[in-house]
Amino acid sequence: MDFESKVKETIKKYKLANKKDKIIVAMSGGKDSTTVAYLLNKLGFKIEALHINLLMGKWSNKNLENVREFCKELKIKLHVYSIRDIVGYAMCYVKSVLKEKEKLRQCTVCGIIRRWIINKKARELKATRVATGHNLDDEAQNVLMNFISGNPELGINLGPVTGSIKDKKFILRIKPLYFLKEKEVEKYSKKMRFPVLYQRCPCVFGALRHKTRNKLDDLEKKNPKVKENLVKNFLKIKEKMRKSLKIKELKYCKACGEPSRQEMCKACRMLKVIKK
Ligand code: AMP
Ligand code: ZN
């Protein structure tokens, strides 16, 4: 099966979206989310794009320029938000303070703040779905990292569709590249000559994710299905895990009103630490 058919099959099999949905594609400026925007648009879905300028120097400037160029070319409506306008600081500052004060991993901090902004803005834009560029490699790394760090229950948020259907404040997140390997996405993106950066985020080196990625790539040389097996086997046990974990009901953060399992959501707790 070719690349586009595999994406189409994931969308259909997991009922990721229908033609009535308004899908906001969270575009980082990288190959994965650009591919998602391109294919959803090509398949006739109603999409708009959202980009958060993380204000990480040249890296962010180039990503913003690329997203603008791509959306202009394809006539996709683009919404750009600067992290400083939303949280008051550039991402590097947020990450360094939380690393020092709370020993939090940089990618964890960035991921939580980004998801918080994306959900909030997608709701304001009246989206019914948010699409991200997560691929099979990302998800296999997530499964493994959650086990390594002793938090397998974090995995209940993994899967081609995540979020709470019952909660109207939570916009369902969909991952059309869920079963596609990073190398396949890269090949497709290069073939299509998308205007994207192929370097990784400058912060990721040395992070647990970087080491996990290298380990999995190594194992894949002996067994090409290692990432697929890891993800598919995890999906099989996920539902059982969800039932046994007695996950707390979603409520709303008392500070920002976003869906949260605690009185205050993770993003607000982080921002409170910075302001202290
Ligand atoms: P990452 O955690 O960097 O692998 O990113 C996961 C997904 O989040 C990407 O595939 C994008 O869909 C989305 N994303 C990452 N960075 C941004 C950004 N600056 N603005 C909007 N969406 C983003
Ligand atoms: Zn909050």
Side-chain angles (χ1 to χ4, degrees), residues 25-29 32-33 50-54 63 107 110-111 114-115 118 131-135 138 201 209:
V25 184
M27 286 191 72
S28 62
D32 305 286
S33 46
L50 176 161
H51 176 74
I52 307 166
N53 185 353
L54 299 169
N63 279 322
C107 302
C110 186
R114 266 189 282 138
R115 278 194 297 277
I118 291 172
T132 60
H134 291 95
N135 58 41
D138 297 324
C201 162
R209 178 172 293 281

PDB file of all heavy atoms in Angstrom, residues 25-29 32-33 50-54 63 107 110-111 114-115 118 131-135 138 201 209, ligand 1:
ATOM      1  N   VAL A  25      -5.370  22.003  12.032  1.00  0.00           N
ATOM      2  CA  VAL A  25      -4.109  21.255  11.991  1.00  0.00           C
ATOM      3  C   VAL A  25      -3.061  22.059  12.762  1.00  0.00           C
ATOM      4  O   VAL A  25      -2.791  23.218  12.430  1.00  0.00           O
ATOM      5  CB  VAL A  25      -3.628  21.008  10.542  1.00  0.00           C
ATOM      6  CG1 VAL A  25      -2.367  20.149  10.543  1.00  0.00           C
ATOM      7  CG2 VAL A  25      -4.720  20.345   9.714  1.00  0.00           C
ATOM      8  N   ALA A  26      -2.497  21.424  13.810  1.00  0.00           N
ATOM      9  CA  ALA A  26      -1.442  22.090  14.597  1.00  0.00           C
ATOM     10  C   ALA A  26      -0.147  21.940  13.821  1.00  0.00           C
ATOM     11  O   ALA A  26       0.436  20.861  13.765  1.00  0.00           O
ATOM     12  CB  ALA A  26      -1.340  21.435  15.970  1.00  0.00           C
ATOM     13  N   MET A  27       0.280  23.022  13.178  1.00  0.00           N
ATOM     14  CA  MET A  27       1.454  22.944  12.302  1.00  0.00           C
ATOM     15  C   MET A  27       2.694  23.523  12.970  1.00  0.00           C
ATOM     16  O   MET A  27       2.729  24.696  13.327  1.00  0.00           O
ATOM     17  CB  MET A  27       1.180  23.718  11.004  1.00  0.00           C
ATOM     18  CG  MET A  27       0.228  23.011  10.064  1.00  0.00           C
ATOM     19  SD  MET A  27       0.202  23.822   8.444  1.00  0.00           S
ATOM     20  CE  MET A  27       1.808  23.358   7.787  1.00  0.00           C
ATOM     21  N   SER A  28       3.712  22.668  13.101  1.00  0.00           N
ATOM     22  CA  SER A  28       4.950  23.125  13.736  1.00  0.00           C
ATOM     23  C   SER A  28       5.896  23.738  12.716  1.00  0.00           C
ATOM     24  O   SER A  28       6.806  24.467  13.066  1.00  0.00           O
ATOM     25  CB  SER A  28       5.641  21.938  14.405  1.00  0.00           C
ATOM     26  OG  SER A  28       5.985  20.966  13.427  1.00  0.00           O
ATOM     27  N   GLY A  29       5.710  23.372  11.447  1.00  0.00           N
ATOM     28  CA  GLY A  29       6.666  23.779  10.416  1.00  0.00           C
ATOM     29  C   GLY A  29       7.544  22.590  10.044  1.00  0.00           C
ATOM     30  O   GLY A  29       8.419  22.696   9.185  1.00  0.00           O
ATOM     31  N   ASP A  32       6.118  16.359   9.464  1.00  0.00           N
ATOM     32  CA  ASP A  32       4.956  15.542   9.828  1.00  0.00           C
ATOM     33  C   ASP A  32       3.647  16.334   9.761  1.00  0.00           C
ATOM     34  O   ASP A  32       2.709  15.947   9.064  1.00  0.00           O
ATOM     35  CB  ASP A  32       5.143  14.956  11.238  1.00  0.00           C
ATOM     36  CG  ASP A  32       6.448  14.184  11.355  1.00  0.00           C
ATOM     37  OD1 ASP A  32       6.519  13.083  10.815  1.00  0.00           O
ATOM     38  OD2 ASP A  32       7.399  14.719  11.954  1.00  0.00           O
ATOM     39  N   SER A  33       3.608  17.460  10.481  1.00  0.00           N
ATOM     40  CA  SER A  33       2.344  18.206  10.496  1.00  0.00           C
ATOM     41  C   SER A  33       2.066  18.856   9.134  1.00  0.00           C
ATOM     42  O   SER A  33       0.897  19.054   8.763  1.00  0.00           O
ATOM     43  CB  SER A  33       2.311  19.223  11.638  1.00  0.00           C
ATOM     44  OG  SER A  33       3.486  19.958  11.732  1.00  0.00           O
ATOM     45  N   LEU A  50      -2.993  26.100  12.565  1.00  0.00           N
ATOM     46  CA  LEU A  50      -2.647  26.891  13.751  1.00  0.00           C
ATOM     47  C   LEU A  50      -1.156  26.697  14.008  1.00  0.00           C
ATOM     48  O   LEU A  50      -0.656  25.574  13.992  1.00  0.00           O
ATOM     49  CB  LEU A  50      -3.478  26.355  14.908  1.00  0.00           C
ATOM     50  CG  LEU A  50      -3.312  26.877  16.330  1.00  0.00           C
ATOM     51  CD1 LEU A  50      -4.570  26.519  17.127  1.00  0.00           C
ATOM     52  CD2 LEU A  50      -2.111  26.319  17.054  1.00  0.00           C
ATOM     53  N   HIS A  51      -0.458  27.810  14.211  1.00  0.00           N
ATOM     54  CA  HIS A  51       0.967  27.705  14.528  1.00  0.00           C
ATOM     55  C   HIS A  51       1.270  28.539  15.763  1.00  0.00           C
ATOM     56  O   HIS A  51       0.820  29.676  15.878  1.00  0.00           O
ATOM     57  CB  HIS A  51       1.814  28.196  13.345  1.00  0.00           C
ATOM     58  CG  HIS A  51       3.283  28.211  13.635  1.00  0.00           C
ATOM     59  ND1 HIS A  51       4.050  27.059  13.700  1.00  0.00           N
ATOM     60  CD2 HIS A  51       4.137  29.228  13.907  1.00  0.00           C
ATOM     61  CE1 HIS A  51       5.302  27.385  13.994  1.00  0.00           C
ATOM     62  NE2 HIS A  51       5.387  28.686  14.114  1.00  0.00           N
ATOM     63  N   ILE A  52       2.039  27.937  16.683  1.00  0.00           N
ATOM     64  CA  ILE A  52       2.457  28.700  17.866  1.00  0.00           C
ATOM     65  C   ILE A  52       3.916  29.089  17.654  1.00  0.00           C
ATOM     66  O   ILE A  52       4.776  28.217  17.466  1.00  0.00           O
ATOM     67  CB  ILE A  52       2.356  27.864  19.158  1.00  0.00           C
ATOM     68  CG1 ILE A  52       0.960  27.248  19.302  1.00  0.00           C
ATOM     69  CG2 ILE A  52       2.682  28.725  20.373  1.00  0.00           C
ATOM     70  CD1 ILE A  52       0.897  26.147  20.351  1.00  0.00           C
ATOM     71  N   ASN A  53       4.160  30.399  17.677  1.00  0.00           N
ATOM     72  CA  ASN A  53       5.540  30.850  17.577  1.00  0.00           C
ATOM     73  C   ASN A  53       6.157  30.752  18.975  1.00  0.00           C
ATOM     74  O   ASN A  53       5.783  31.496  19.879  1.00  0.00           O
ATOM     75  CB  ASN A  53       5.572  32.290  17.055  1.00  0.00           C
ATOM     76  CG  ASN A  53       6.993  32.763  16.828  1.00  0.00           C
ATOM     77  OD1 ASN A  53       7.959  32.077  17.180  1.00  0.00           O
ATOM     78  ND2 ASN A  53       7.134  33.937  16.232  1.00  0.00           N
ATOM     79  N   LEU A  54       7.061  29.779  19.136  1.00  0.00           N
ATOM     80  CA  LEU A  54       7.634  29.515  20.461  1.00  0.00           C
ATOM     81  C   LEU A  54       8.768  30.480  20.815  1.00  0.00           C
ATOM     82  O   LEU A  54       9.325  30.419  21.903  1.00  0.00           O
ATOM     83  CB  LEU A  54       8.133  28.059  20.529  1.00  0.00           C
ATOM     84  CG  LEU A  54       7.046  26.997  20.320  1.00  0.00           C
ATOM     85  CD1 LEU A  54       7.662  25.620  20.134  1.00  0.00           C
ATOM     86  CD2 LEU A  54       6.054  26.973  21.471  1.00  0.00           C
ATOM     87  N   ASN A  63      10.570  28.253  10.974  1.00  0.00           N
ATOM     88  CA  ASN A  63       9.345  27.448  10.984  1.00  0.00           C
ATOM     89  C   ASN A  63       8.128  28.292  10.629  1.00  0.00           C
ATOM     90  O   ASN A  63       7.273  27.876   9.838  1.00  0.00           O
ATOM     91  CB  ASN A  63       9.144  26.799  12.357  1.00  0.00           C
ATOM     92  CG  ASN A  63       9.975  25.548  12.527  1.00  0.00           C
ATOM     93  OD1 ASN A  63      10.143  24.776  11.587  1.00  0.00           O
ATOM     94  ND2 ASN A  63      10.513  25.338  13.710  1.00  0.00           N
ATOM     95  N   CYS A 107      11.152  18.703  27.256  1.00  0.00           N
ATOM     96  CA  CYS A 107      10.138  18.324  26.260  1.00  0.00           C
ATOM     97  C   CYS A 107       8.764  18.165  26.927  1.00  0.00           C
ATOM     98  O   CYS A 107       7.730  18.393  26.297  1.00  0.00           O
ATOM     99  CB  CYS A 107      10.509  17.031  25.547  1.00  0.00           C
ATOM    100  SG  CYS A 107      12.088  17.134  24.719  1.00  0.00           S
ATOM    101  N   CYS A 110       7.374  21.773  27.351  1.00  0.00           N
ATOM    102  CA  CYS A 110       6.979  22.333  26.061  1.00  0.00           C
ATOM    103  C   CYS A 110       5.700  21.662  25.554  1.00  0.00           C
ATOM    104  O   CYS A 110       4.780  22.332  25.086  1.00  0.00           O
ATOM    105  CB  CYS A 110       8.137  22.141  25.082  1.00  0.00           C
ATOM    106  SG  CYS A 110       7.877  22.930  23.506  1.00  0.00           S
ATOM    107  N   GLY A 111       5.638  20.329  25.718  1.00  0.00           N
ATOM    108  CA  GLY A 111       4.478  19.573  25.241  1.00  0.00           C
ATOM    109  C   GLY A 111       3.206  19.991  25.981  1.00  0.00           C
ATOM    110  O   GLY A 111       2.157  20.194  25.366  1.00  0.00           O
ATOM    111  N   ARG A 114       2.160  23.559  24.984  1.00  0.00           N
ATOM    112  CA  ARG A 114       1.643  23.585  23.603  1.00  0.00           C
ATOM    113  C   ARG A 114       0.244  22.984  23.513  1.00  0.00           C
ATOM    114  O   ARG A 114      -0.648  23.543  22.893  1.00  0.00           O
ATOM    115  CB  ARG A 114       2.580  22.804  22.672  1.00  0.00           C
ATOM    116  CG  ARG A 114       3.601  23.678  21.997  1.00  0.00           C
ATOM    117  CD  ARG A 114       4.330  22.889  20.959  1.00  0.00           C
ATOM    118  NE  ARG A 114       5.331  22.031  21.545  1.00  0.00           N
ATOM    119  CZ  ARG A 114       5.569  20.776  21.165  1.00  0.00           C
ATOM    120  NH1 ARG A 114       4.868  20.221  20.214  1.00  0.00           N
ATOM    121  NH2 ARG A 114       6.496  20.064  21.728  1.00  0.00           N
ATOM    122  N   ARG A 115       0.062  21.825  24.171  1.00  0.00           N
ATOM    123  CA  ARG A 115      -1.267  21.180  24.100  1.00  0.00           C
ATOM    124  C   ARG A 115      -2.339  22.067  24.721  1.00  0.00           C
ATOM    125  O   ARG A 115      -3.466  22.132  24.245  1.00  0.00           O
ATOM    126  CB  ARG A 115      -1.236  19.811  24.805  1.00  0.00           C
ATOM    127  CG  ARG A 115      -0.671  18.722  23.927  1.00  0.00           C
ATOM    128  CD  ARG A 115      -0.962  17.344  24.509  1.00  0.00           C
ATOM    129  NE  ARG A 115      -0.334  17.146  25.801  1.00  0.00           N
ATOM    130  CZ  ARG A 115       0.936  16.761  25.973  1.00  0.00           C
ATOM    131  NH1 ARG A 115       1.692  16.521  24.931  1.00  0.00           N
ATOM    132  NH2 ARG A 115       1.434  16.605  27.182  1.00  0.00           N
ATOM    133  N   ILE A 118      -3.049  24.849  22.248  1.00  0.00           N
ATOM    134  CA  ILE A 118      -3.741  24.315  21.062  1.00  0.00           C
ATOM    135  C   ILE A 118      -5.213  24.027  21.374  1.00  0.00           C
ATOM    136  O   ILE A 118      -6.110  24.401  20.625  1.00  0.00           O
ATOM    137  CB  ILE A 118      -3.026  23.045  20.520  1.00  0.00           C
ATOM    138  CG1 ILE A 118      -1.668  23.434  19.912  1.00  0.00           C
ATOM    139  CG2 ILE A 118      -3.888  22.317  19.483  1.00  0.00           C
ATOM    140  CD1 ILE A 118      -0.782  22.256  19.527  1.00  0.00           C
ATOM    141  N   ALA A 131      -5.772  18.132  14.508  1.00  0.00           N
ATOM    142  CA  ALA A 131      -4.901  17.098  13.939  1.00  0.00           C
ATOM    143  C   ALA A 131      -3.450  17.442  14.228  1.00  0.00           C
ATOM    144  O   ALA A 131      -3.034  18.596  14.099  1.00  0.00           O
ATOM    145  CB  ALA A 131      -5.127  16.994  12.428  1.00  0.00           C
ATOM    146  N   THR A 132      -2.681  16.421  14.636  1.00  0.00           N
ATOM    147  CA  THR A 132      -1.245  16.644  14.871  1.00  0.00           C
ATOM    148  C   THR A 132      -0.443  15.698  13.975  1.00  0.00           C
ATOM    149  O   THR A 132      -0.983  14.768  13.383  1.00  0.00           O
ATOM    150  CB  THR A 132      -0.862  16.385  16.350  1.00  0.00           C
ATOM    151  OG1 THR A 132      -1.186  15.038  16.668  1.00  0.00           O
ATOM    152  CG2 THR A 132      -1.558  17.339  17.278  1.00  0.00           C
ATOM    153  N   GLY A 133       0.858  15.942  13.948  1.00  0.00           N
ATOM    154  CA  GLY A 133       1.718  15.169  13.043  1.00  0.00           C
ATOM    155  C   GLY A 133       2.344  13.933  13.663  1.00  0.00           C
ATOM    156  O   GLY A 133       3.235  13.356  13.054  1.00  0.00           O
ATOM    157  N   HIS A 134       1.893  13.516  14.840  1.00  0.00           N
ATOM    158  CA  HIS A 134       2.524  12.344  15.487  1.00  0.00           C
ATOM    159  C   HIS A 134       2.575  11.142  14.557  1.00  0.00           C
ATOM    160  O   HIS A 134       1.570  10.775  13.950  1.00  0.00           O
ATOM    161  CB  HIS A 134       1.749  11.959  16.749  1.00  0.00           C
ATOM    162  CG  HIS A 134       1.874  12.966  17.836  1.00  0.00           C
ATOM    163  ND1 HIS A 134       0.949  13.959  18.037  1.00  0.00           N
ATOM    164  CD2 HIS A 134       2.839  13.148  18.758  1.00  0.00           C
ATOM    165  CE1 HIS A 134       1.329  14.712  19.055  1.00  0.00           C
ATOM    166  NE2 HIS A 134       2.473  14.253  19.506  1.00  0.00           N
ATOM    167  N   ASN A 135       3.748  10.520  14.488  1.00  0.00           N
ATOM    168  CA  ASN A 135       3.901   9.325  13.634  1.00  0.00           C
ATOM    169  C   ASN A 135       4.203   8.098  14.508  1.00  0.00           C
ATOM    170  O   ASN A 135       4.257   8.202  15.735  1.00  0.00           O
ATOM    171  CB  ASN A 135       5.003   9.569  12.595  1.00  0.00           C
ATOM    172  CG  ASN A 135       6.328   9.916  13.251  1.00  0.00           C
ATOM    173  OD1 ASN A 135       6.717   9.324  14.257  1.00  0.00           O
ATOM    174  ND2 ASN A 135       7.019  10.900  12.698  1.00  0.00           N
ATOM    175  N   ASP A 138       7.100   8.447  16.981  1.00  0.00           N
ATOM    176  CA  ASP A 138       6.783   9.254  18.171  1.00  0.00           C
ATOM    177  C   ASP A 138       6.015   8.421  19.182  1.00  0.00           C
ATOM    178  O   ASP A 138       6.286   8.455  20.379  1.00  0.00           O
ATOM    179  CB  ASP A 138       5.856  10.445  17.812  1.00  0.00           C
ATOM    180  CG  ASP A 138       6.509  11.416  16.867  1.00  0.00           C
ATOM    181  OD1 ASP A 138       7.719  11.623  16.992  1.00  0.00           O
ATOM    182  OD2 ASP A 138       5.805  11.968  15.993  1.00  0.00           O
ATOM    183  N   CYS A 201      14.189  19.792  16.796  1.00  0.00           N
ATOM    184  CA  CYS A 201      14.154  20.934  17.709  1.00  0.00           C
ATOM    185  C   CYS A 201      15.505  21.018  18.431  1.00  0.00           C
ATOM    186  O   CYS A 201      16.015  20.000  18.901  1.00  0.00           O
ATOM    187  CB  CYS A 201      13.013  20.713  18.703  1.00  0.00           C
ATOM    188  SG  CYS A 201      13.148  21.720  20.177  1.00  0.00           S
ATOM    189  N   ARG A 209      13.958  11.417  25.251  1.00  0.00           N
ATOM    190  CA  ARG A 209      13.376  11.055  23.958  1.00  0.00           C
ATOM    191  C   ARG A 209      14.455  10.722  22.924  1.00  0.00           C
ATOM    192  O   ARG A 209      14.326   9.788  22.142  1.00  0.00           O
ATOM    193  CB  ARG A 209      12.475  12.189  23.446  1.00  0.00           C
ATOM    194  CG  ARG A 209      11.862  11.908  22.087  1.00  0.00           C
ATOM    195  CD  ARG A 209      10.844  12.942  21.710  1.00  0.00           C
ATOM    196  NE  ARG A 209       9.661  12.925  22.557  1.00  0.00           N
ATOM    197  CZ  ARG A 209       8.659  12.064  22.451  1.00  0.00           C
ATOM    198  NH1 ARG A 209       8.679  11.125  21.526  1.00  0.00           N
ATOM    199  NH2 ARG A 209       7.627  12.145  23.248  1.00  0.00           N
TER     200      ARG A 209
HETATM  201  P1  AMP B   1       6.357  17.298  18.971  1.00  0.00           P
HETATM  202  O1  AMP B   1       5.992  17.167  20.406  1.00  0.00           O
HETATM  203  O2  AMP B   1       7.376  18.366  18.720  1.00  0.00           O
HETATM  204  O3  AMP B   1       6.697  15.991  18.326  1.00  0.00           O
HETATM  205  O4  AMP B   1       5.043  17.831  18.235  1.00  0.00           O
HETATM  206  C1  AMP B   1       3.883  17.059  18.176  1.00  0.00           C
HETATM  207  C2  AMP B   1       2.857  17.739  17.314  1.00  0.00           C
HETATM  208  O5  AMP B   1       2.456  18.964  17.911  1.00  0.00           O
HETATM  209  C3  AMP B   1       3.369  18.127  15.929  1.00  0.00           C
HETATM  210  O6  AMP B   1       3.263  17.055  15.028  1.00  0.00           O
HETATM  211  C4  AMP B   1       2.445  19.270  15.568  1.00  0.00           C
HETATM  212  O7  AMP B   1       1.208  18.791  15.066  1.00  0.00           O
HETATM  213  C5  AMP B   1       2.184  19.938  16.915  1.00  0.00           C
HETATM  214  N1  AMP B   1       3.120  21.082  17.125  1.00  0.00           N
HETATM  215  C6  AMP B   1       4.409  21.040  17.530  1.00  0.00           C
HETATM  216  N2  AMP B   1       4.939  22.281  17.602  1.00  0.00           N
HETATM  217  C7  AMP B   1       3.957  23.138  17.245  1.00  0.00           C
HETATM  218  C8  AMP B   1       3.872  24.560  17.109  1.00  0.00           C
HETATM  219  N3  AMP B   1       4.910  25.357  17.368  1.00  0.00           N
HETATM  220  N4  AMP B   1       2.688  25.101  16.698  1.00  0.00           N
HETATM  221  C9  AMP B   1       1.629  24.298  16.440  1.00  0.00           C
HETATM  222  N5  AMP B   1       1.650  22.965  16.550  1.00  0.00           N
HETATM  223  C10 AMP B   1       2.784  22.384  16.938  1.00  0.00           C
END
